[in-house]
Amino acid sequence: MNTRREFFKTGLALGAAVSLARWSRLSAAESPTPVVPAPGPESPRSVLVAVRDGTRTAMVDKALASLGGIGAFVKAGQTVCLKPNIGWDAPPERGANTHPELVGHLVRLCLAAGAKSVSVFDNTCDQWQLTYEHSGIAQAAREAGARVVNGKDESLYREVDIPGGVKLKRALVHTLVLDSDVLLNVPVLKHHSGTGMTAAMKNLMGCVWDRGFYHQNNVHQAIVDFLTLRKPTLNILDAYHPMVRNGPRGKTVNDVVEMRTLMASTDPVALDAAAAKMLGLEPAGVAYIKIADEMKIGTMDLARVEIRRFSLA
Amino acid sequence: MRGRGLKILRVAGAAVVFAGLTAALVDFRGAVPGLVGHTFASIQFVPSAVALATGAGVALACLVVLAVTFAVGRIYCSVICPLGILQDLATRIAGWIWPKKRPRPYRPASTIVRQAFLWGAVVGVAAGWAGLTLSLLDPYSVFGRIAADLFRPAVTLVNNALVGTVGRFTGEALYRVAPAWAGAGALAVPAAMLLFVAGLAAWRGRLYCNTVCPVGTVLGFVSARGAWRLAIDQAACRKCGDCLRVCKAQCIDLRHGVIDASRCVDCYNCIGACSEHGIAYRWSWTRPRAEPATATAAAAPIDLQRRAFVTASAAALTTAAGVGSWAMTRVVAEVAAGPSSAPPADTSPNRSDVICPPGAGGVDQFLNRCTACHLCLSACPTHVLQPAFLEYGFAGLLKPRLDYAGAFCNFDCRRCAEVCPDGALSILTLADKQVTRIGAAQLNLDNCIVKTKGTDCAACSEHCPTKAVDTVPYGNNLRLPQVNADLCIGCGACEYACPAKPRKAITVAGRRTHERAIRRVEEKAKDPRRAGEFPF
């Protein structure tokens, strides 16, 4: 165990150095400031902002203000890929997808911050046009000025190496995820019959073409492996009315519980750990959170996280 | 001028019907409202007749078509029937390719061929092969398959080429779509029909309509006895032959100055072509038994035709009755004996190897009513509907079946039934559709990744809309799939999602007669948080 952990530590430190250099070089072409530093062994404590009892827009505004505003993440002229959870052909009130109101608001904020373009997509589970429309996300994103991009077009995916991956070493990844300056991960919190829960890290499964590969090759490990390729610039979790059973698709509105909460962090592991607690789960009991912690993608130890709690009530 | 007006009306009407139907059938991205396809398909003769005969709906279109045909001739064949309009297009294109003015002399009717096909169809229907017979011979369904199976993927390819030239992220206005090609076997039939029909049209106009098509034969029988028919004004006719050059049906007998109303499709080309204005509608109806006074020259052949017709009819009816009773005894024997081969895993006597769409009631009823027009295939947003080749057996050739290899049936969707013109799929309420069991999931845990690899998966349960497939705790913090058969409707989401190779761990067996699943109602979920509103 120890040697394995150490192997990951050194490997990831090296990998992080290389990949961070790569991403900062990429964004340097567009703007002088690199993206927000990702938490690693040497970086400062992860910050997690948790807001409750407000509207989705008020809560995300509060969370962003606490993190230095949208401008800390999106610079003028940058291209933004906003990745909500648009998995299922279900209306917003079922909580199966990220709420359209949150997506629309974030698109507007990015554009107001001077983003060159904001693109929204997901590799949906249900038929994609129906899912985009019935989730309300296509319309909300469209009206806010985003490009709504097909996630079911294989030609828009590019095969890349994932050097830090243990199981997922090579994958077809959507070019929006690979090429955008900013990756905003905007998941929804749900129970999940396969992995226990889904929030920030599992949402990124929709960036990859072949979902079946994840399931064939230890889904938990593959979820974490992807994070070694690209970590989102920022993760914003919609926990307004999480689906607490029958997930991830859900059956009726009876599966959701109103918690009126929104959380944001650059550390997807810390965010998922807090999210697990919202569903009454222990973070270490969710295999992919534990693996991500071990691989130093972030920390699941909330005692080591700076949690900023706000109530808008 | 009146002649030109009629032709303009005919062309305009045909353009509207053809454009509407073609749009619905080649719709590769779900852009055309279901009502468009359903409307233009429901006015077709055979689908309407099937719906009326089976009691699936008050489909009066076929009676209207008969009445109109009796009144003014086979307008159906020129304006409503998409296969007829397709032939006109083929004739026109052939005219551009080989532009010489080819004479189209009068040809006598191929009465024997026409009746052979008509009575073949009648025998087929009477023998209990209505579905297969009508699907092969209904001109609308023949066109539907050509448009849905050949034109649709072709248009998709053009779309994709266009996307390639415009750029990568074209957003919602233009995007790539995977072309929906049917399997080779199912594709061969419409491809052969397209070549055959277009070839005949290029060669001799509406020859198909006046030899093969049983609808053309039935309507021809009516129009030959119709009230108003196109007729040549003998006083005006100079026998210049201008009308022959434009006649699609080669039915103008200039020597006798007679137009064969049984083959005339009312294209009105001849009216405009006649410089003497010598062709017009004329009241021609006479009581059936009092006709010898009209034309002595034409009387003999007509009599012969009639005699042949009556003989053939009698022969065919006898055969039909015979074959019909033979088929009935076989059905009775089969029912008594039960299914011939033992089902593998699923022991239900109601098992079917093939899965037919919700709203069909069951496989047998579906195969009897569906004419395989493939409108539902084009309308299906997930493309889980695929044309069968021999999966249903020969009787189910080209009929839609659900294929879970590449898609599954969307829980909240009923588009196939919404567009179906012949009542083969009745529109269930959404609540009913969601408990209609078209198949049942069969779990084989020996193939399941959770067992074979010892890692989490549950892609099946993840996709299940009714939670008939759920998970139970297993081993070291794993979740193992489990099926609650009462809740399963057989939508195939689990089978589609199962990543196990080479054999899937969960598959769906069809139901011969559709069953009703239980809808489990759950109380409002409880808040799982253990402490406070921020439990961390």
Side-chain angles (χ1 to χ4, degrees), chain B residues 165-178:
Chain B
T165 61
V166 172
R168 290 175 71 74
F169 297 114
T170 40
E172 293 176 283
L174 206 58
Y175 50 77
R176 229 176 272 269
V177 177

PDB file of all heavy atoms in Angstrom, chain B residues 165-178:
ATOM      1  N   THR B 165     -17.792  20.495 -44.670  1.00  0.00           N
ATOM      2  CA  THR B 165     -17.300  21.664 -45.388  1.00  0.00           C
ATOM      3  C   THR B 165     -17.479  22.934 -44.575  1.00  0.00           C
ATOM      4  O   THR B 165     -16.734  23.884 -44.732  1.00  0.00           O
ATOM      5  CB  THR B 165     -18.034  21.839 -46.734  1.00  0.00           C
ATOM      6  OG1 THR B 165     -19.431  22.021 -46.451  1.00  0.00           O
ATOM      7  CG2 THR B 165     -17.867  20.625 -47.624  1.00  0.00           C
ATOM      8  N   VAL B 166     -18.480  22.934 -43.684  1.00  0.00           N
ATOM      9  CA  VAL B 166     -18.767  24.169 -42.941  1.00  0.00           C
ATOM     10  C   VAL B 166     -17.819  24.339 -41.762  1.00  0.00           C
ATOM     11  O   VAL B 166     -17.351  25.436 -41.472  1.00  0.00           O
ATOM     12  CB  VAL B 166     -20.240  24.191 -42.473  1.00  0.00           C
ATOM     13  CG1 VAL B 166     -20.494  25.369 -41.550  1.00  0.00           C
ATOM     14  CG2 VAL B 166     -21.152  24.275 -43.677  1.00  0.00           C
ATOM     15  N   GLY B 167     -17.532  23.253 -41.062  1.00  0.00           N
ATOM     16  CA  GLY B 167     -16.637  23.371 -39.916  1.00  0.00           C
ATOM     17  C   GLY B 167     -17.021  22.399 -38.838  1.00  0.00           C
ATOM     18  O   GLY B 167     -17.999  21.663 -38.955  1.00  0.00           O
ATOM     19  N   ARG B 168     -16.255  22.385 -37.757  1.00  0.00           N
ATOM     20  CA  ARG B 168     -16.447  21.361 -36.739  1.00  0.00           C
ATOM     21  C   ARG B 168     -17.631  21.644 -35.829  1.00  0.00           C
ATOM     22  O   ARG B 168     -18.544  20.864 -35.715  1.00  0.00           O
ATOM     23  CB  ARG B 168     -15.182  21.227 -35.906  1.00  0.00           C
ATOM     24  CG  ARG B 168     -14.039  20.601 -36.696  1.00  0.00           C
ATOM     25  CD  ARG B 168     -12.767  20.593 -35.878  1.00  0.00           C
ATOM     26  NE  ARG B 168     -12.840  19.639 -34.787  1.00  0.00           N
ATOM     27  CZ  ARG B 168     -12.757  18.329 -34.947  1.00  0.00           C
ATOM     28  NH1 ARG B 168     -12.651  17.827 -36.146  1.00  0.00           N
ATOM     29  NH2 ARG B 168     -12.784  17.511 -33.915  1.00  0.00           N
ATOM     30  N   PHE B 169     -17.590  22.814 -35.178  1.00  0.00           N
ATOM     31  CA  PHE B 169     -18.636  23.103 -34.190  1.00  0.00           C
ATOM     32  C   PHE B 169     -19.700  23.980 -34.806  1.00  0.00           C
ATOM     33  O   PHE B 169     -19.726  25.184 -34.619  1.00  0.00           O
ATOM     34  CB  PHE B 169     -18.033  23.756 -32.958  1.00  0.00           C
ATOM     35  CG  PHE B 169     -17.074  22.845 -32.261  1.00  0.00           C
ATOM     36  CD1 PHE B 169     -15.742  23.140 -32.208  1.00  0.00           C
ATOM     37  CD2 PHE B 169     -17.539  21.667 -31.706  1.00  0.00           C
ATOM     38  CE1 PHE B 169     -14.862  22.286 -31.581  1.00  0.00           C
ATOM     39  CE2 PHE B 169     -16.665  20.806 -31.078  1.00  0.00           C
ATOM     40  CZ  PHE B 169     -15.317  21.113 -31.010  1.00  0.00           C
ATOM     41  N   THR B 170     -20.533  23.370 -35.587  1.00  0.00           N
ATOM     42  CA  THR B 170     -21.553  24.141 -36.259  1.00  0.00           C
ATOM     43  C   THR B 170     -22.767  24.315 -35.367  1.00  0.00           C
ATOM     44  O   THR B 170     -23.719  24.939 -35.749  1.00  0.00           O
ATOM     45  CB  THR B 170     -21.956  23.418 -37.549  1.00  0.00           C
ATOM     46  OG1 THR B 170     -22.010  22.030 -37.262  1.00  0.00           O
ATOM     47  CG2 THR B 170     -20.932  23.676 -38.614  1.00  0.00           C
ATOM     48  N   GLY B 171     -22.704  23.772 -34.161  1.00  0.00           N
ATOM     49  CA  GLY B 171     -23.800  23.955 -33.222  1.00  0.00           C
ATOM     50  C   GLY B 171     -25.025  23.199 -33.643  1.00  0.00           C
ATOM     51  O   GLY B 171     -24.940  22.108 -34.177  1.00  0.00           O
ATOM     52  N   GLU B 172     -26.172  23.799 -33.388  1.00  0.00           N
ATOM     53  CA  GLU B 172     -27.415  23.056 -33.554  1.00  0.00           C
ATOM     54  C   GLU B 172     -27.990  23.133 -34.949  1.00  0.00           C
ATOM     55  O   GLU B 172     -28.857  22.353 -35.303  1.00  0.00           O
ATOM     56  CB  GLU B 172     -28.436  23.581 -32.555  1.00  0.00           C
ATOM     57  CG  GLU B 172     -28.054  23.289 -31.133  1.00  0.00           C
ATOM     58  CD  GLU B 172     -29.039  23.901 -30.173  1.00  0.00           C
ATOM     59  OE1 GLU B 172     -28.980  25.121 -29.948  1.00  0.00           O
ATOM     60  OE2 GLU B 172     -29.879  23.156 -29.679  1.00  0.00           O
ATOM     61  N   ALA B 173     -27.546  24.118 -35.744  1.00  0.00           N
ATOM     62  CA  ALA B 173     -28.150  24.271 -37.059  1.00  0.00           C
ATOM     63  C   ALA B 173     -27.764  23.106 -37.962  1.00  0.00           C
ATOM     64  O   ALA B 173     -28.553  22.634 -38.758  1.00  0.00           O
ATOM     65  CB  ALA B 173     -27.705  25.594 -37.668  1.00  0.00           C
ATOM     66  N   LEU B 174     -26.559  22.626 -37.797  1.00  0.00           N
ATOM     67  CA  LEU B 174     -26.033  21.609 -38.700  1.00  0.00           C
ATOM     68  C   LEU B 174     -25.129  20.711 -37.884  1.00  0.00           C
ATOM     69  O   LEU B 174     -24.200  21.186 -37.232  1.00  0.00           O
ATOM     70  CB  LEU B 174     -25.223  22.318 -39.793  1.00  0.00           C
ATOM     71  CG  LEU B 174     -25.068  21.637 -41.139  1.00  0.00           C
ATOM     72  CD1 LEU B 174     -26.409  21.346 -41.772  1.00  0.00           C
ATOM     73  CD2 LEU B 174     -24.256  22.540 -42.052  1.00  0.00           C
ATOM     74  N   TYR B 175     -25.411  19.438 -37.858  1.00  0.00           N
ATOM     75  CA  TYR B 175     -24.519  18.528 -37.146  1.00  0.00           C
ATOM     76  C   TYR B 175     -24.532  17.167 -37.805  1.00  0.00           C
ATOM     77  O   TYR B 175     -25.432  16.830 -38.558  1.00  0.00           O
ATOM     78  CB  TYR B 175     -24.891  18.429 -35.660  1.00  0.00           C
ATOM     79  CG  TYR B 175     -26.354  18.163 -35.394  1.00  0.00           C
ATOM     80  CD1 TYR B 175     -26.880  16.890 -35.568  1.00  0.00           C
ATOM     81  CD2 TYR B 175     -27.200  19.193 -34.983  1.00  0.00           C
ATOM     82  CE1 TYR B 175     -28.216  16.651 -35.335  1.00  0.00           C
ATOM     83  CE2 TYR B 175     -28.544  18.958 -34.748  1.00  0.00           C
ATOM     84  CZ  TYR B 175     -29.044  17.685 -34.928  1.00  0.00           C
ATOM     85  OH  TYR B 175     -30.368  17.444 -34.701  1.00  0.00           O
ATOM     86  N   ARG B 176     -23.481  16.442 -37.516  1.00  0.00           N
ATOM     87  CA  ARG B 176     -23.318  15.116 -38.090  1.00  0.00           C
ATOM     88  C   ARG B 176     -24.283  14.120 -37.444  1.00  0.00           C
ATOM     89  O   ARG B 176     -24.550  14.195 -36.247  1.00  0.00           O
ATOM     90  CB  ARG B 176     -21.893  14.668 -37.815  1.00  0.00           C
ATOM     91  CG  ARG B 176     -21.141  14.130 -38.981  1.00  0.00           C
ATOM     92  CD  ARG B 176     -19.725  13.816 -38.549  1.00  0.00           C
ATOM     93  NE  ARG B 176     -18.869  14.980 -38.699  1.00  0.00           N
ATOM     94  CZ  ARG B 176     -18.186  15.235 -39.799  1.00  0.00           C
ATOM     95  NH1 ARG B 176     -18.252  14.416 -40.820  1.00  0.00           N
ATOM     96  NH2 ARG B 176     -17.432  16.306 -39.886  1.00  0.00           N
ATOM     97  N   VAL B 177     -24.796  13.213 -38.256  1.00  0.00           N
ATOM     98  CA  VAL B 177     -25.681  12.160 -37.753  1.00  0.00           C
ATOM     99  C   VAL B 177     -25.207  10.845 -38.367  1.00  0.00           C
ATOM    100  O   VAL B 177     -24.841  10.805 -39.543  1.00  0.00           O
ATOM    101  CB  VAL B 177     -27.149  12.431 -38.176  1.00  0.00           C
ATOM    102  CG1 VAL B 177     -28.059  11.302 -37.728  1.00  0.00           C
ATOM    103  CG2 VAL B 177     -27.631  13.760 -37.621  1.00  0.00           C
ATOM    104  N   ALA B 178     -25.169   9.809 -37.562  1.00  0.00           N
ATOM    105  CA  ALA B 178     -24.756   8.507 -38.102  1.00  0.00           C
ATOM    106  C   ALA B 178     -25.837   7.992 -39.052  1.00  0.00           C
ATOM    107  O   ALA B 178     -26.999   7.903 -38.660  1.00  0.00           O
ATOM    108  CB  ALA B 178     -24.539   7.510 -36.971  1.00  0.00           C
TER     109      ALA B 178
END
